Amino acid sequence: VKMNFKINNRDWKIVELSQDEMRNVIKNYKYDGEPKEGKYFGLTYIDSQVIYIDKDLCKQQKRQTLLHELMHCYIGSYLFSNSRDYTEEDLCNISSCSHDIINKIINDYFENK
């Protein structure tokens, strides 16, 4: 399953993969702090503008995972700071500004499922 979308006028895609396929993707990217072993629900790569989701997750977990990964996507597309020292006010602004954008993508993605 694949879907294309835009955030901040950037073309992104969502791709569902098996765990083995996700591990192969990880081998092709720089290590980003995620564990090399274990189960991956989702991965977001800002440099290639792709979100990978475990295709075998139940619908509720898949939806929650995509919400989480879309926040990475949003932060990577709109916040250009290397600092990760977000205040509570920053997090509230990020959440409120991203809410409509992310929920539209979620609704479009799950519309036909």
Side-chain angles (χ1 to χ4, degrees):
V1 176
K2 292 183 182 181
M3 183 182 118
N4 296 325
F5 65 96
K6 284 186 180 272
I7 286 190
N8 199 14
N9 206 30
R10 295 179 185 180
D11 295 316
W12 282 80
K13 67 181 168 183
I14 301 165
V15 179
E16 291 190 22
L17 300 175
S18 70
Q19 283 295 304
D20 287 339
E21 291 169 322
M22 289 177 80
R23 284 187 188 92
N24 285 333
V25 167
I26 293 165
K27 291 176 187 176
N28 294 323
Y29 286 92
K30 61 186 177 292
Y31 182 65
D32 63 358
E34 291 289 334
K36 294 279 186 180
E37 306 279 330
K39 183 173 176 100
Y40 295 90
F41 285 0
L43 300 164
T44 297
Y45 288 100
I46 304 294
D47 55 346
S48 61
Q49 297 173 189
V50 179
I51 294 174
Y52 298 100
I53 302 291
D54 181 344
K55 71 178 184 177
D56 297 318
L57 295 175
C58 70
K59 185 176 180 180
Q60 291 172 330
Q61 185 61 55
K62 193 177 289 186
R63 184 179 179 90
Q64 184 63 41
T65 299
L66 186 54
L67 282 164
H68 175 96
E69 297 305 323
L70 284 166
M71 283 304 299
H72 287 298
C73 170
Y74 183 88
I75 289 169
S77 295
Y78 286 101
L79 302 176
F80 303 108
S81 171
N82 287 335
S83 171
R84 292 185 180 230
D85 295 328
Y86 301 119
T87 66
E88 181 177 340
E89 199 64 25
D90 293 333
L91 294 175
C92 290
N93 285 331
I94 292 166
S95 178
S96 65
C97 292
S98 66
H99 179 79
D100 291 340
I101 295 167
I102 288 177
N103 277 296
K104 178 172 181 352
I105 295 166
I106 290 287
N107 290 336
D108 289 348
Y109 190 76
F110 285 97
E111 184 175 277
N112 297 321
K113 290 186 179 241

